[in-house]
Amino acid sequence: MAISLVTLFGGIIRRTLSAASLSSQTIAIDDETTIHFWSPKPTTTSSSTAKPPLLLIHGFGPHGVWQWQQQINFFAKSYSLYIPNLVFFGGSYSTSSERSEIFQARAMGKLMEKVGVEKYYVVGTSYGGFVAFRMAEMWQDRVMKVVIANSAVNGLLSDSMELVKRGKVEKIEDLIMPEKASELRKLMNLSVFRRAYVPDFILNDFINRLYSKNRKEKLELLRGLTIGWDDIMKASPLQQEVLIVWGEHDKIFLLDLAMELKKVLGKNVKLKVIKNASHIPQVENAWKFNNIIDTFLRDSPDQGLSLMSKL
Ligand SMILES: *[C@@H]1O[C@H](CO)[C@@H](O)[C@H](O)[C@H]1NC(C)=O
Ligand SMILES: *[C@@H]1O[C@H](CO)[C@@H](O)[C@H](O)[C@H]1NC(C)=O
């Protein structure tokens, strides 16, 4: 292929990261697991430690910085940004046999410990929202506030089965882990509100370069979720302030689930619905998405001030 858009966009993302003074790092968080992530350059200590740390957790699909491309510049100005690749995405790997979202949450918690960040905000989208939810559940003191974006942590098996029907596929992985342009098209149909026509060769380039790595392990991650494979609701009230953000027309996780989730997660929960957007409002309407989250994180000055005084 003469031109690869993936390669082209990859270059743009790298320049965005560099302009935001983020650097690529890989560390072993324990004997089994290595995490690749982007974080403030170690040399920019005095300015970066004054900013509250913010962890952005991606969903299935292209890894880390690909999904947060339009958040990097915006949030790097006032937050100390950490953008990891979850285990088996991008350059992150593990020899562990664990595959649940709880395993991913523990890996992320260990990562933040390793880099010396005690308290932080977490934003997770889709699969990353499951991970963010588990982190908030496990570490009430470390996770100061949590944002769950287009992520049905209250989903049941019946919701997963309806998704398979909506997607007109046989198995959920045919949708979430496309191998062919036709499958990726189905996924885009459900996850993007305003779609432009994208030719097959571009979709195939996407699949080959961004979807195919560690396919076996990613399938295991999908099957290893403790959420959405039975009739038991796993979501329960969180102690932190929670913001749920959802694209109004999300056909992966329907808006009904967002409204139910607001009730399930406790008293300190806000729900913001983004119009004219589907499953990826962070891309579809980045301006709105970013401002909603920034406002939520800045809100309630008490918590912000106590954080600042500890730093
Ligand atoms: C995508 O959706 C449109 C209309 O909403 C439909 O006509 C088309 O067949 C769908 N494509 C796929 C691949 O599902
Ligand atoms: C949503 O899209 C419709 C149709 O393009 C437009 O009229 C409306 O203003 C949009 N709403 C928002 C909130 O962007």
Side-chain angles (χ1 to χ4, degrees):
M1 197 178 305
I3 302 169
S4 163
L5 275 186
V6 174
T7 306
L8 191 68
F9 279 129
I12 293 171
I13 293 171
R14 281 186 177 268
R15 279 195 293 279
T16 308
L17 288 160
S18 166
S21 293
L22 299 184
S23 67
S24 164
Q25 303 187 49
T26 305
I27 61 172
I29 55 162
D30 55 33
D31 294 345
E32 296 176 318
T33 305
T34 300
I35 299 292
H36 174 237
F37 62 104
W38 291 80
S39 68
K41 291 198 177 107
T43 47
T44 58
T45 40
S46 59
S47 60
S48 69
T49 47
K51 299 175 186 173
L54 172 59
L55 177 67
L56 300 181
I57 307 182
H58 66 86
F60 257 83
H63 53 262
V65 292
W66 277 86
Q67 296 188 21
W68 299 118
Q69 188 184 348
Q70 298 188 69
Q71 280 64 52
I72 297 166
N73 231 333
F74 180 93
F75 285 104
K77 291 191 187 104
S78 0
Y79 299 86
S80 190
L81 266 190
Y82 292 82
I83 311 179
N85 287 320
L86 289 168
V87 182
F88 299 121
F89 292 85
S92 298
Y93 199 79
S94 181
T95 55
S96 166
S97 59
E98 283 190 72
R99 294 292 182 264
S100 76
E101 80 284 356
I102 300 167
F103 165 65
Q104 296 278 17
R106 259 190 253 115
M108 293 300 109
K110 278 186 196 170
L111 171 68
M112 295 311 269
E113 227 174 275
K114 280 271 174 186
V115 296
V117 178
E118 280 176 30
K119 289 175 185 273
Y120 42 89
Y121 299 129
V122 181
V123 176
T125 181
S126 199
Y127 175 70
F130 294 5
V131 178
F133 165 73
R134 291 301 191 189
M135 290 183 77
E137 198 177 47
M138 282 192 265
W139 299 299
Q140 289 167 22
D141 296 331
R142 293 193 224 166
V143 176
M144 298 185 294
K145 292 186 185 182
V146 61
V147 178
I148 294 176
N150 290 83
S151 178
V153 295
N154 50 330
L156 305 178
L157 178 61
S158 54
D159 300 303
S160 308
M161 283 163 63
E162 276 169 35
L163 170 58
V164 165
K165 256 190 242 164
R166 275 199 300 282
K168 302 187 186 74
V169 289
E170 277 175 40
K171 305 183 296 301
I172 208 139
E173 49 260 43
D174 298 340
L175 200 58
I176 307 300
M177 299 198 44
E179 276 188 296
K180 297 185 289 227
S182 61
E183 291 172 347
L184 183 51
R185 243 178 245 290
K186 284 182 183 172
L187 176 62
M188 287 168 65
N189 246 10
L190 298 185
S191 46
V192 184
F193 182 61
R194 284 206 182 95
R195 294 177 297 276
Y197 175 75
V198 185
D200 275 9
F201 81 91
I202 291 177
L203 297 182
N204 282 320
D205 184 35
F206 229 75
I207 290 169
N208 293 334
R209 287 172 200 258
L210 296 172
Y211 275 86
S212 53
K213 198 177 171 193
N214 296 333
R215 186 173 172 83
K216 174 179 165 286
E217 288 84 359
K218 284 179 187 161
L219 284 171
E220 291 165 2
L221 290 175
L222 203 55
R223 291 285 162 192
L225 277 168
T226 72
I227 298 167
W229 292 120
D230 60 27
D231 298 325
I232 301 160
M233 161 91 71
K234 304 303 186 323
S236 58
L238 292 173
Q239 300 307 309
Q240 297 92 336
E241 280 183 64
V242 181
L243 171 67
I244 301 170
V245 191
W246 223 274
E248 186 180 17
H249 304 279
D250 189 351
K251 290 189 206 145
I252 300 284
F253 296 129
L254 302 179
L255 186 60
D256 287 352
L257 282 165
M259 296 196 276
E260 185 195 62
L261 185 60
K262 182 179 187 301
K263 292 180 199 145
V264 172
L265 288 185
K267 292 197 193 90
N268 286 324
V269 188
K270 291 190 179 80
L271 167 63
K272 294 280 181 187
V273 178
I274 300 183
K275 293 215 187 286
N276 292 345
S278 174
H279 189 60
I280 48 170
Q282 74 271 26
V283 178
E284 296 171 280
N285 191 345
W287 184 86
K288 189 100 197 173
F289 182 89
N290 294 347
N291 280 289
I292 286 173
I293 290 175
D294 186 41
T295 302
F296 166 73
L297 296 180
R298 282 171 190 276
D299 222 24
S300 83
D302 288 0
Q303 208 169 3
L305 285 177
S306 71
L307 164 75
M308 298 316 277
S309 65
K310 282 194 189 100
L311 290 168

